Amino acid sequence: MKGIFILIMIMSLLSCKQDPAHQLVQENEIRLVKPRLKATNKIVDSTVILTAELKLDETKIYFTENGEEPTEGSLLYQSPIVISGASTYRFKAFHPSWKASETAEIRFVQKGYSVDSIIWLQPLNNQYAGQGTRTLVNHVKATNNYLNKEWLGFDAPAGLICTFEKDTEISSIDIGYLNHPGAWIFPPAKISIDVSYDGIDFQKKSDETLPVTEKAIGPSMSTYHIDLNEKVLAVRLRFENVQNIPEWHDGAGNGAWLFMDEIIFNK
């Protein structure tokens, strides 16, 4: 009986041992994490330094400079990258035994005109007041974490007037905002832009209603762009938050938060 018991145990151990082919299949089903990207800023004045990192033996990181999807035929990341202008970089990690990572993306924009003065049309929300009244024009981009101090959060319509030191030829305006339905943060429901040639009277330039997010997605940063091509002394911007969160959301019927990022007045 003792011999039979030992034989059964040996057969059981052998049956549990994985063959190399099965082990390789399991390895190939593991996906690498995305490379970690760090930039000294996302708004380019003269130069910005960008680094990518994923500490794992045999892993290689490839990237593109034009927004295209990286492959193993793309540029190999080997050292920090000097960014000198508006661009979109995408990175992906590859390993001989594991699945390639998802793509990590970072977008750089060119620094625009500096704003001389800011007039808010209502007080900032104390809970999400960012860096204060000049948060949206301080030439620093936020991250996709709504707790980052470069965001201003609003639970009601908001507006501000940006005045320049002198008549300024503005080609276009880029307005950053956050989309994070899981945190009850939705894109603006409406953005209105008026311009002034004397700093007193304003004329309507744009009054656009944006589509409401139709499904739950992870946090993402977006930009509203409008061509201006006007020589102005001041610009008035007004934003409206979503007043009724759509039915698919747990907060259906309630008002949404609106989180605004940098406003860039392009040269």
Side-chain angles (χ1 to χ4, degrees), residues 50-242:
L50 169 63
T51 58
E53 185 179 80
L54 182 57
K55 293 181 179 179
L56 184 64
D57 290 345
E58 298 185 71
T59 298
K60 292 183 178 180
I61 299 173
Y62 293 89
F63 69 97
T64 59
E65 303 169 301
N66 55 5
E68 293 184 356
E69 186 68 10
T71 67
E72 290 180 279
S74 302
L75 298 169
L76 175 65
Y77 176 81
Q78 295 177 299
S79 60
I81 302 168
V82 178
I83 311 296
S84 58
S87 52
T88 299
Y89 281 72
R90 305 188 82 189
F91 293 77
K92 182 176 279 192
F94 294 84
H95 190 280
S97 300
W98 297 343
K99 280 185 177 181
S101 72
E102 294 181 347
T103 302
E105 180 179 297
I106 186 167
R107 180 172 176 259
F108 297 93
V109 295
Q110 197 73 39
K111 180 182 175 181
Y113 289 108
S114 294
V115 172
D116 184 52
S117 65
I118 295 281
I119 300 173
W120 280 94
L121 305 181
Q122 71 293 303
L124 299 181
N125 186 291
N126 289 331
Q127 188 175 358
Y128 299 108
Q131 303 284 4
T133 57
R134 293 188 66 88
T135 301
L136 300 189
V137 294
N138 65 358
H139 303 303
V140 180
K141 290 289 287 180
T143 68
N144 61 5
N145 181 352
Y146 71 92
L147 296 177
N148 183 278
K149 290 299 184 180
E150 295 302 330
W151 289 112
L152 288 184
F154 306 95
D155 58 356
L160 72 161
I161 296 173
C162 297
T163 303
F164 302 92
E165 187 175 5
K166 60 182 180 180
D167 289 348
T168 302
E169 185 74 42
I170 300 173
S171 64
S172 60
I173 303 174
D174 288 319
I175 303 169
Y177 62 88
L178 182 64
N179 191 11
H180 187 4
W184 291 38
I185 299 170
F186 281 72
K190 188 176 183 180
I191 295 179
S192 301
I193 298 175
D194 308 321
V195 298
S196 175
Y197 307 105
D198 59 7
I200 301 172
D201 298 318
F202 285 85
Q203 298 182 17
K204 187 170 295 297
K205 184 66 180 180
S206 173
D207 195 9
E208 185 170 347
T209 299
L210 279 64
V212 179
T213 302
E214 297 181 352
K215 62 180 181 178
I217 59 174
S220 61
M221 298 171 65
S222 299
T223 302
Y224 173 82
H225 176 87
I226 176 173
D227 292 323
L228 197 65
N229 297 314
E230 293 269 11
K231 193 173 186 178
V232 301
L233 188 60
V235 178
R236 181 170 62 199
L237 306 102
R238 289 174 290 185
F239 319 113
E240 293 184 18
N241 61 318
V242 171

